[in-house]
PDB file of all heavy atoms in Angstrom:
ATOM      1  N   GLN Q 251     -61.075  43.922  18.184  1.00 96.00           N
ATOM      2  CA  GLN Q 251     -60.156  44.932  18.708  1.00 96.00           C
ATOM      3  C   GLN Q 251     -59.091  44.322  19.609  1.00 96.00           C
ATOM      4  O   GLN Q 251     -58.279  45.060  20.172  1.00 96.00           O
ATOM      5  CB  GLN Q 251     -60.940  46.005  19.476  1.00 96.00           C
ATOM      6  CG  GLN Q 251     -61.909  46.784  18.606  1.00 96.00           C
ATOM      7  CD  GLN Q 251     -62.585  47.924  19.345  1.00 96.00           C
ATOM      8  OE1 GLN Q 251     -62.301  48.186  20.510  1.00 96.00           O
ATOM      9  NE2 GLN Q 251     -63.496  48.607  18.671  1.00 96.00           N
ATOM     10  N   THR Q 252     -59.086  43.030  19.743  1.00 96.00           N
ATOM     11  CA  THR Q 252     -58.171  42.300  20.645  1.00 96.00           C
ATOM     12  C   THR Q 252     -58.067  43.007  21.989  1.00 96.00           C
ATOM     13  O   THR Q 252     -56.961  43.288  22.497  1.00 96.00           O
ATOM     14  CB  THR Q 252     -56.770  42.104  20.020  1.00 96.00           C
ATOM     15  OG1 THR Q 252     -56.176  43.387  19.762  1.00 96.00           O
ATOM     16  CG2 THR Q 252     -56.865  41.294  18.753  1.00 96.00           C
ATOM     17  N   SER Q 253     -59.230  43.276  22.573  1.00 97.00           N
ATOM     18  CA  SER Q 253     -59.240  43.972  23.859  1.00 97.00           C
ATOM     19  C   SER Q 253     -60.026  43.194  24.903  1.00 97.00           C
ATOM     20  O   SER Q 253     -60.872  42.350  24.572  1.00 97.00           O
ATOM     21  CB  SER Q 253     -59.844  45.369  23.700  1.00 97.00           C
ATOM     22  OG  SER Q 253     -61.218  45.297  23.387  1.00 97.00           O
ATOM     23  N   PHE Q 254     -59.728  43.508  26.152  1.00 98.00           N
ATOM     24  CA  PHE Q 254     -60.402  42.847  27.286  1.00 98.00           C
ATOM     25  C   PHE Q 254     -60.405  43.851  28.438  1.00 98.00           C
ATOM     26  O   PHE Q 254     -59.719  43.702  29.432  1.00 98.00           O
ATOM     27  CB  PHE Q 254     -59.666  41.559  27.655  1.00 98.00           C
ATOM     28  CG  PHE Q 254     -60.387  40.683  28.650  1.00 98.00           C
ATOM     29  CD1 PHE Q 254     -61.675  40.229  28.402  1.00 98.00           C
ATOM     30  CD2 PHE Q 254     -59.764  40.288  29.828  1.00 98.00           C
ATOM     31  CE1 PHE Q 254     -62.331  39.406  29.308  1.00 98.00           C
ATOM     32  CE2 PHE Q 254     -60.421  39.468  30.748  1.00 98.00           C
ATOM     33  CZ  PHE Q 254     -61.698  39.022  30.481  1.00 98.00           C
ATOM     34  N   HIS Q 255     -61.216  44.892  28.296  1.00 98.00           N
ATOM     35  CA  HIS Q 255     -61.234  45.983  29.274  1.00 98.00           C
ATOM     36  C   HIS Q 255     -62.007  45.591  30.528  1.00 98.00           C
ATOM     37  O   HIS Q 255     -63.089  44.998  30.445  1.00 98.00           O
ATOM     38  CB  HIS Q 255     -61.853  47.237  28.664  1.00 98.00           C
ATOM     39  CG  HIS Q 255     -61.138  47.742  27.447  1.00 98.00           C
ATOM     40  ND1 HIS Q 255     -59.779  47.589  27.246  1.00 98.00           N
ATOM     41  CD2 HIS Q 255     -61.612  48.399  26.357  1.00 98.00           C
ATOM     42  CE1 HIS Q 255     -59.435  48.128  26.109  1.00 98.00           C
ATOM     43  NE2 HIS Q 255     -60.519  48.629  25.534  1.00 98.00           N
ATOM     44  N   LEU Q 256     -61.485  45.989  31.659  1.00 98.00           N
ATOM     45  CA  LEU Q 256     -62.115  45.730  32.959  1.00 98.00           C
ATOM     46  C   LEU Q 256     -63.026  46.906  33.310  1.00 98.00           C
ATOM     47  O   LEU Q 256     -62.628  48.067  33.155  1.00 98.00           O
ATOM     48  CB  LEU Q 256     -61.041  45.562  34.035  1.00 98.00           C
ATOM     49  CG  LEU Q 256     -61.515  45.250  35.444  1.00 98.00           C
ATOM     50  CD1 LEU Q 256     -62.094  43.837  35.515  1.00 98.00           C
ATOM     51  CD2 LEU Q 256     -60.366  45.408  36.433  1.00 98.00           C
ATOM     52  N   LYS Q 257     -64.220  46.591  33.822  1.00 98.00           N
ATOM     53  CA  LYS Q 257     -65.182  47.658  34.115  1.00 98.00           C
ATOM     54  C   LYS Q 257     -65.894  47.381  35.432  1.00 98.00           C
ATOM     55  O   LYS Q 257     -65.985  46.241  35.882  1.00 98.00           O
ATOM     56  CB  LYS Q 257     -66.222  47.769  32.977  1.00 98.00           C
ATOM     57  CG  LYS Q 257     -65.614  48.070  31.630  1.00 98.00           C
ATOM     58  CD  LYS Q 257     -66.679  48.200  30.556  1.00 98.00           C
ATOM     59  CE  LYS Q 257     -66.022  48.510  29.213  1.00 98.00           C
ATOM     60  NZ  LYS Q 257     -67.014  48.732  28.141  1.00 98.00           N
ATOM     61  N   LYS Q 258     -66.385  48.492  35.999  1.00 98.00           N
ATOM     62  CA  LYS Q 258     -67.241  48.395  37.171  1.00 98.00           C
ATOM     63  C   LYS Q 258     -68.200  49.580  37.137  1.00 98.00           C
ATOM     64  O   LYS Q 258     -67.775  50.714  36.905  1.00 98.00           O
ATOM     65  CB  LYS Q 258     -66.422  48.388  38.459  1.00 98.00           C
ATOM     66  CG  LYS Q 258     -67.252  48.099  39.697  1.00 98.00           C
ATOM     67  CD  LYS Q 258     -66.382  47.963  40.939  1.00 98.00           C
ATOM     68  CE  LYS Q 258     -67.250  47.613  42.138  1.00 98.00           C
ATOM     69  NZ  LYS Q 258     -66.476  47.507  43.390  1.00 98.00           N
ATOM     70  N   PRO Q 259     -69.487  49.365  37.349  1.00 97.00           N
ATOM     71  CA  PRO Q 259     -70.464  50.455  37.207  1.00 97.00           C
ATOM     72  C   PRO Q 259     -70.295  51.562  38.246  1.00 97.00           C
ATOM     73  O   PRO Q 259     -70.550  52.728  37.946  1.00 97.00           O
ATOM     74  CB  PRO Q 259     -71.815  49.752  37.373  1.00 97.00           C
ATOM     75  CG  PRO Q 259     -71.545  48.311  37.127  1.00 97.00           C
ATOM     76  CD  PRO Q 259     -70.131  48.063  37.567  1.00 97.00           C
ATOM     77  N   SER Q 260     -69.861  51.209  39.453  1.00 97.00           N
ATOM     78  CA  SER Q 260     -69.772  52.193  40.530  1.00 97.00           C
ATOM     79  C   SER Q 260     -68.550  51.882  41.398  1.00 97.00           C
ATOM     80  O   SER Q 260     -68.532  50.886  42.116  1.00 97.00           O
ATOM     81  CB  SER Q 260     -71.048  52.156  41.371  1.00 97.00           C
ATOM     82  OG  SER Q 260     -70.973  53.083  42.427  1.00 97.00           O
TER      83      SER Q 260
END
Side-chain angles (χ1 to χ4, degrees):
Chain Q
Q251 297 185 3
T252 61
S253 67
F254 190 56
H255 301 329
L256 182 69
K257 301 181 180 184
K258 188 174 183 182
S260 179

